């Protein structure tokens, strides 16, 4: 009798191990490459490439192998875009609405992030690049769900500090490249100066490839988040890419960026995990406006730090062989907040139910189930104020701002633009389309009610944070 029990127990154990192993193999890996301030008009597949003096063959090939979105929407600034990705929530809820300097900022530990949720499903999570969601103990990437991190806590323009006019190292910030393991204090690796600025994306790429290699050998599904620093100012290429285009530093840096994307994609092929890996290439914001490093939003108008379409529409490409049809293009509205719920659907993890999640599942577009977006629009915040609301092919501006260096102007009567007829948002057609105003204002009122139901976390709120009520 005992022998029979042992036999049954052994069979069940083997079956359990087999099922667990099979499940691990069916969990898709994710390589998410998030570049910094790459405008809509820079890549070849978005009308740039050679026309901008910077061919992008690797990224163009990735687009040909998967789905390219032409209506992917981000936030107007770096910190809120990355917050929206991590939480699936509009940054107004999380106290992460703008880039700040010299104060406590970032995600509170109460927020539940994408890597935290994936970790609960057995994923190894690694981040290699720019965080910009907190630079104090408790708010580094490895306090927010990543098993390991190598990169910079804040923004790339800090690399200029030590070379700037009358810089005083005794009182001035000393930016550094750091690395850390989960819940460990980050270690300073090197000064983040102009020399390291040219080197860092090469290092990030190598670190990401090493991480993916280790996880494949360990037979663990992975989430590799690689927020590269190009093409954020100062847009300076690696020494190996200086002069490769003959069109200056910016073009050379775009070519360098494309090269690194090619290296990471090639690594997946070498590791034999191409078919089971979702590859995403996206930009966090619209293009730079600073003269020496300015980019282009192509078909649209505007740069980041505004509510113009050039600030909000960014490149987005996703490839998953045999799951996402190759060579497809969609102009359906997708927002950065949608990525978290869409991952939840694909990876089968539960979203937190004790807070408002603004993102919606977009598998209908990704897998061409019906080709339709699950959303019609979204509010556009720039800082703590709603500057606009985008609905279908309409944009209603409540605050006018045409340049990140300009002065915001509150409009007595909202401006209405039709993005199909007027992609540059140049001609206010309010007198001919006032029917749109009550439709959109109803949506604005509904959204504002959610801010009463769940009061926003204020910028600078310390941990531990617990919502009232």
């Amino acid at each position: 009798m005992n022998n029979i029990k042992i036999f049954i127990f052994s069979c069940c154990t083997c079956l359990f191990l087999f099922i667990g192993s099979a499940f691990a193999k069916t969990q898709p890996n994710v390589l998410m490459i998030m570049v910094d301030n790459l405008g809509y008009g820079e890549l070849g597949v978005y009308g740039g490439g050679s026309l901008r003096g910077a061919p992008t063959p690797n990224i163009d090939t990735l687009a040909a192998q998967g789905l390219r979105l032409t209506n992917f929407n981000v936030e107007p600034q770096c910190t809120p875009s990355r917050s929206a990705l991590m939480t699936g929530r509009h940054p107004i809820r999380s106290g992460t609405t703008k880039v700040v300097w010299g104060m406590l900022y970032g995600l509170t530990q109460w927020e539940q992030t994408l890597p935290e949720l994936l970790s609960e499903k057995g994923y190894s999570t690694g981040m290699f690049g720019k965080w910009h969601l907190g630079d104090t103990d408790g708010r580094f990437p490895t306090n927010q769900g990543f098993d390991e991190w190598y990169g910079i806590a804040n923004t790339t323009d800090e690399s200029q500090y030590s070379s700037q006019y009358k810089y005083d190292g005794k009182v001035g910030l000393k930016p550094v490249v750091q690395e850390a393991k989960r819940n460990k204090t980050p270690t300073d690796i090197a000064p983040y100066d102009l020399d390291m600025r040219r080197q860092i994306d090469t290092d990030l790429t190598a670190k990401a490839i090493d991480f993916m290699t280790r996880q494949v050998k360990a037979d663990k599904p992975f989430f590799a988040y690689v927020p590269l620093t190009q093409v954020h100012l100062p847009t300076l290429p690696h020494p190996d890419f200086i002069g490769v285009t003959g069109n200056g530093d910016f073009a050379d840096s775009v070519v360098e960026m494309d090269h690194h994307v090619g290296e990471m994609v090639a690594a997946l092929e070498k590791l034999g995990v191409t078919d089971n890996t979702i590859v995403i290439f996206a930009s966090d914001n619209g293009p730079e406006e600073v003269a020496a490093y300015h980019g282009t939003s192509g078909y649209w108008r505007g740069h980041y730090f505004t509510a113009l379409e050039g600030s909000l529409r960014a490149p987005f490409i996703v490839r998953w062989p045999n799951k996402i049809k190759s060579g497809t293009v969609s102009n359906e509205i997708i927002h950065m907040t949608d990525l978290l719920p869409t991952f939840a659907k694909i990876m089968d993890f539960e979203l937190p139910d004790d807070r408002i999640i603004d993102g919606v599942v977009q598998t209908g577009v990704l897998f061409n189930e019906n080709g339709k977006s699950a959303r019609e629009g979204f509010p556009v915040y720039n800082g703590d104020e709603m500057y606009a609301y985008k609905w279908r092919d309409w944009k209603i501006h409540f605050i006018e701002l045409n340049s990140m260096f300009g002065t915001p102007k509150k409009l007595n009567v909202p401006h209405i633009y039709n993005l199909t007829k007027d992609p540059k948002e140049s001609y206010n057609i309010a007198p001919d389309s006032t029917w749109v105003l009550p439709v959109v204002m109803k949506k604005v009122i509904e959204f504002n009610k959610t801010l009463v139901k769940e009061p926003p976390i204020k910028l600078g709120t310390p941990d531990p944070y617990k919502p009232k009520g």
Side-chain angles (χ1 to χ4, degrees):
M1 186 69 177
N2 287 336
N3 288 338
I4 294 174
K5 289 181 178 180
I6 292 172
F7 175 76
I8 293 173
F9 175 78
S10 298
C11 289
C12 290
T13 301
C14 291
L15 179 62
F16 174 80
L17 292 173
F18 172 79
I19 292 173
S21 176
F23 178 70
K25 290 182 185 301
T26 60
Q27 288 178 286
N29 305 307
V30 179
L31 167 60
M32 182 166 189
I33 304 167
M34 177 80 78
V35 295
D36 205 353
N37 300 346
L38 181 76
Y40 187 96
E42 302 292 0
L43 303 175
V45 289
Y46 284 92
S50 296
L51 290 179
R52 286 282 288 156
T56 53
N58 293 302
I59 300 171
D60 295 350
T61 298
L62 192 67
Q65 297 169 341
L67 168 66
R68 175 169 61 92
L69 300 181
T70 58
N71 203 345
F72 177 69
N73 297 268
V74 297
E75 297 289 323
Q77 302 180 31
C78 295
T79 292
S81 270
R82 292 156 196 267
S83 173
L85 167 66
M86 287 291 131
T87 66
R89 290 155 47 84
H90 286 304
I92 188 66
R93 304 194 192 282
S94 305
T96 50
T97 58
K98 54 190 172 183
V99 173
V100 297
W101 296 266
M103 65 176 291
L104 177 68
Y105 85 102
L107 292 173
T108 63
Q109 293 177 2
W110 176 81
E111 295 285 356
Q112 292 194 38
T113 66
L114 174 58
E116 287 175 329
L117 296 168
L118 285 172
S119 292
E120 293 174 1
K121 293 295 291 186
Y123 276 76
S124 294
T125 57
M127 177 183 160
F128 310 94
K130 167 183 165 177
W131 176 234
H132 220 176
L133 288 173
D135 60 358
T136 52
D137 288 341
R139 295 195 175 182
F140 289 107
T142 42
N143 303 124
Q144 302 281 16
F146 286 103
D147 296 324
E148 54 187 271
W149 166 57
Y150 179 97
I152 55 174
N154 295 316
T155 177
T156 297
D157 51 271
E158 290 184 352
S159 65
Q160 303 173 114
Y161 287 178
S162 60
S163 301
Q164 289 179 332
Y165 179 64
K166 286 195 172 183
Y167 169 76
D168 185 348
K170 294 179 181 179
V171 295
L173 187 67
K174 297 178 180 178
V176 291
V177 177
Q178 297 176 294
E179 68 177 353
K181 300 293 185 181
R182 184 183 284 259
N183 293 324
K184 299 294 183 181
T185 301
T187 300
D188 295 348
I189 300 301
Y192 192 41
D193 55 19
L194 292 182
D195 287 337
M196 180 53 78
R197 194 274 167 276
R198 293 183 182 273
Q199 175 65 35
I200 189 168
D201 278 13
T202 297
D203 295 344
L204 298 177
T205 300
K207 296 280 186 181
I209 292 173
D210 175 69
F211 170 78
M212 294 187 292
T213 301
R214 285 186 280 116
Q215 306 321 311
V216 171
K217 288 182 178 178
D219 197 26
K220 288 213 51 170
F222 63 77
F223 173 58
Y225 175 48
V226 192
L228 296 173
T229 65
Q230 295 290 15
V231 286
H232 194 291
L233 71 84
T235 315
L236 303 174
H238 185 280
D240 291 349
F241 288 86
I242 295 175
V244 295
T245 67
N247 294 308
D249 285 344
F250 190 93
D252 292 345
S253 298
V254 171
V255 169
E256 178 196 346
M257 175 193 71
D258 181 76
H259 173 76
H260 291 316
V261 171
E263 287 184 304
M264 286 183 269
V265 172
L268 297 174
E269 186 71 29
K270 184 177 180 180
L271 292 169
V273 294
T274 294
D275 287 349
N276 196 40
T277 302
I278 302 170
V279 178
I280 293 173
F281 175 91
S283 177
D284 69 335
N285 293 131
E288 294 282 1
E289 189 174 356
V290 176
Y293 310 110
H294 70 87
T296 179
S297 50
Y299 191 69
W300 314 105
R301 179 169 74 91
H303 300 76
Y304 68 158
F305 278 78
T306 74
L308 292 166
E309 203 68 4
S311 172
L312 304 180
R313 287 210 201 197
F316 184 97
I317 295 164
V318 56
R319 185 192 76 177
W320 191 8
N322 304 314
K323 302 291 194 303
I324 293 175
K325 187 178 179 181
S326 63
T328 53
V329 180
S330 173
N331 193 47
E332 293 292 301
I333 294 177
I334 308 283
H335 191 270
M336 182 73 86
T337 55
D338 298 338
L339 296 184
L340 178 69
T342 303
F343 278 132
K345 179 73 172 179
I346 294 171
M347 280 80 159
D348 191 32
F349 62 80
E350 295 293 326
L351 294 174
D353 59 6
D354 61 343
R355 65 204 66 195
I356 294 173
I357 301 294
D358 296 292
V360 294
V361 176
Q362 295 287 13
T363 52
V365 175
L366 261 63
F367 303 126
N368 201 29
E369 294 168 349
N370 56 24
K372 297 297 182 182
S373 174
R375 69 163 65 245
E376 285 192 313
F378 56 90
V380 181
Y381 277 81
N382 191 14
D384 295 328
E385 293 188 273
M386 189 187 295
Y387 272 48
Y389 199 100
K390 181 171 174 176
W391 176 71
R392 296 184 180 175
D393 58 349
W394 301 91
K395 177 87 73 63
I396 288 76
H397 285 261
F398 308 114
I399 299 175
E400 182 180 64
L401 181 63
N402 292 308
S403 166
M404 65 182 291
F405 301 111
T407 302
K409 182 175 72 174
K410 288 192 176 182
L411 299 169
N412 191 42
V413 177
H415 286 185
I416 303 175
Y417 301 99
N418 184 280
L419 299 173
T420 300
K421 295 177 66 175
D422 179 23
K424 302 292 187 184
E425 296 167 90
S426 300
Y427 307 103
N428 175 27
I429 58 172
D432 296 324
S433 303
T434 51
W435 73 270
V436 177
L437 278 176
V439 175
V440 169
M441 289 310 301
K442 183 178 179 181
K443 296 180 181 300
V444 170
I445 291 169
E446 289 172 352
F447 182 81
N448 287 339
K449 286 180 180 178
T450 71
L451 299 179
V452 175
K453 178 182 178 181
E454 182 184 297
I457 301 171
K458 293 182 179 180
L459 172 66
T461 297
D463 290 306
Y465 166 80
K466 288 186 178 180
K468 295 179 182 180

